[in-house]
Amino acid sequence: MQQPDPAALPLESKASLLSGGDFWSTQSLGEADVRAVVLTDGPHGVRRQKADADHLGFHASEPATCFPPAVAVGSSWDVELAARVGEAVGREARALGVGVILGPGVNIKRSPLCGRNFEYYSEDPLLSGILGAAFVRGLQAQGVGAAVKHFAANNQETDRMRVSADVDERPLREIYLAAFERIVTEARPAAVMAAYNRINGVPASENRWLLTDVLRAEWDFEGVVVSDWGGVGDRVAALAAGLDLQMPGPDAANDAAIVRAVRAGLLDEAVVDASVRRVAGLAEPAVAPEPDETVPAEHHALARELAADCVVLLKNDEHTLPLAAGVRLAVIGEFAADPQFQGGGSSLINATRVDTPLEAIQALGHTVTYAAGFTTGGEDPEALRAEAVRAARGAEVAVIFVGLRGETEGVDREHIDLPADQVVLLRAVAAVASRTVVVLSTGGVVSLEGWHDDVDAIVAGWLLGQASGGALADVLSGVVNPSGRLAETIPLRLEDTPSYLTFPGEAGHVRYGEGVMVGYRHHETVGRAVRYPFGHGLSYTTFSTGDLAVDVTGDDTAIVRVTVTNTGERPGKHVVQAYVATTAGRVRRPARELRAFTKVALRPGESSTVQLPLDRRAFAYYDIEAGQWAVAPGTYTVQIGESATRIVAEQTVTLPGDTAATALSLDSALGDWFAHPVAGPLLREALMAGATEEQRRQGEANSDLMDMVASIPARQFLHFPGVPVSTDDLTEILEATR
Ligand code: BGC
């Protein structure tokens, strides 16, 4: 049966569809056969509230599996894993009657202080975009839509509903929009959520350049643009800019404002119609929700399997890990018995069950003495510490579980230190234990300084979801060989991070002064030492990398082939990281940038040759003058790294690049005129008209003179005494270039 066109409805009915029906649903409209769709957080689980609703995680939600949050998935560097999280969340969403999951969050970790970094994948846009696209594909294959968020430049929580992220276009395109671009163009999400903040002064929700020119015209987005909850200021301006759906709803006043604006001729009804069709289209997913099914119990085991592959082994001196069978253990730290496995705010999942590391370690057959060592509630630390030190003395290995509580949406962190009493405990235990292993449960990076060298092994467990206990036990005991890699740099000092001086801004503005030099791009370019670089992560086996071959395959594309071998004694997974380093082009390039990666599983002694295609974008920068991506002619070094710092193989290739000459104008600099294949010779000839042979020879020999005048705009050059060229001459040459 033909669906009635919702755009044929009376204007009032149409406007009512453009704000929600309630806190979590779109409006239904019987006369047009439009049914309500439930949109709900995630993204690492389903936060379906049936009774009291809120967007900050205060009220309860239906039980659902809490899968590893994005901070963990980012560290997996595993595309298939990200897709499996999406699929599993999609299955539960359908069971809970949810049509759209509000995620993934793909904002860039600009500063380690951002309070929501646990909800984001990485400081790198390629890693964020590829993992985000995989999540969206997995989710949408279940017939549940994704709302990719927060579009765009929502990189802090401080003043998040007003602050203007002041970002130049090149970092916007190369760093902050790139993950969204990949997801929109490759995975076709059902929705994009506009961020709360402003971008260069204009609210994201009213930003026509962002929501229409870039998102729809350049990237061909056909889905719904939904507001963040409560993120609409001027409803009519937002609609005109491209924001279809205001959430939550209903909002009779704003619906009426839309009607008035159309009647007053201030808003084209066609804009309303287009948005209405898109919002009504949300209710037509490939597969309808199947409410009242149950959340699959086997998802807990899945959550454990996925979580273990997100763990990053940072340090492992003298093979402290994995723990030998039967070794006497002191398990220390409140986080062992009461794990921190997710952050707070809108992504808070009501987990179906929770594993503790302590029970999981015991269940794997280890003999354990437990001591809390500290409490995050602040009870007498000295007595607890003394008990922990005693336990450590009597054990062969002390495993200390430390971390952060209270990381949440809405608040940024003020520093990157662990709580002081935890650091005192770490040092006291390390001083007496024969071996000390530290397990970190944090949503963001913490400093390892002051105790790093005192301990034998460090495991970054991030926030791993409800099965974190089992997953950590699997890694510690070697049931799973760790294969995570850092998706963000661990600096030596907060002061070393590129946004240190500008985060979180002042007087309503945050200036992204570091430009494209975000995360490792900064550290590698300025040669700043860090504690552990982006991409770092150890394994219980060893890998070698060889036989790198880079073949240029066509117009500024290449294919990388490299062989990796498991040279150790255990099966393991290795992440092949391909970076591109260049100084080509007229802009400052980062020392290297991640351009492709893949994760391979290898048995002991096994080799695999992986192929990584590098598309044009892998070599390009965003040329703000031309308003497009540009590949500069020149040399490019493809580097295979075990991290952004440790390069193990490299090969340089030459690319033709974009040879089309840039368009000239009277305001172009003389250097550009001289470099132009048509205008250059003509201008030289015009300048030399009437010169003697000797003067010509001198002119050609004197390159310093050329360098000195290169920056003078042609129009202004004409006014210097003795310049034998007029505006008419230049206009004539310009004609010749067209
Ligand atoms: C958050 C979004 C979330 C929404 C609904 C907002 O506070 O920024 O990420 O999806 O609430 O809970």
Side-chain angles (χ1 to χ4, degrees), residues 620-634:
Y621 66 94
Y622 192 81
D623 180 340
I624 56 166
E625 282 166 309
Q628 61 189 25
W629 294 92
V631 176

Side-chain angles (χ1 to χ4, degrees), residues 5 12 32 65 86 121 123 148 170 251 278 314 393 487 544 569 674:
D5 181 1
E12 282 77 2
T65 311
Y121 292 110
E123 69 187 22
V148 186
R170 188 176 155 225
D251 191 332
R278 289 186 204 116
L314 294 173
R393 272 211 184 91
S544 72
E569 270 141 36
F674 288 136

Side-chain angles (χ1 to χ4, degrees), residues 51-129:
D52 294 336
D54 75 293
H55 68 301
L56 297 173
F58 294 132
H59 296 301
S61 53
E62 300 297 304
T65 311
C66 180
F67 290 97
V71 58
V73 175
S75 309
S76 77
W77 291 60
D78 187 335
V79 180
E80 202 192 317
L81 184 150
R84 290 174 73 198
V85 176
E87 269 167 33
V89 170
R91 280 194 290 273
E92 295 195 15
R94 276 172 54 198
L96 291 164
V98 171
V100 174
I101 285 287
L102 302 174
V106 298
N107 295 100
I108 295 296
K109 302 185 202 227
R110 173 175 179 251
S111 163
L113 296 179
C114 172
R116 266 186 119 168
N117 275 358
F118 69 89
E119 289 190 62
Y120 304 140
Y121 292 110
S122 177
E123 69 187 22
D124 180 82
L126 182 92
L127 185 56
S128 304

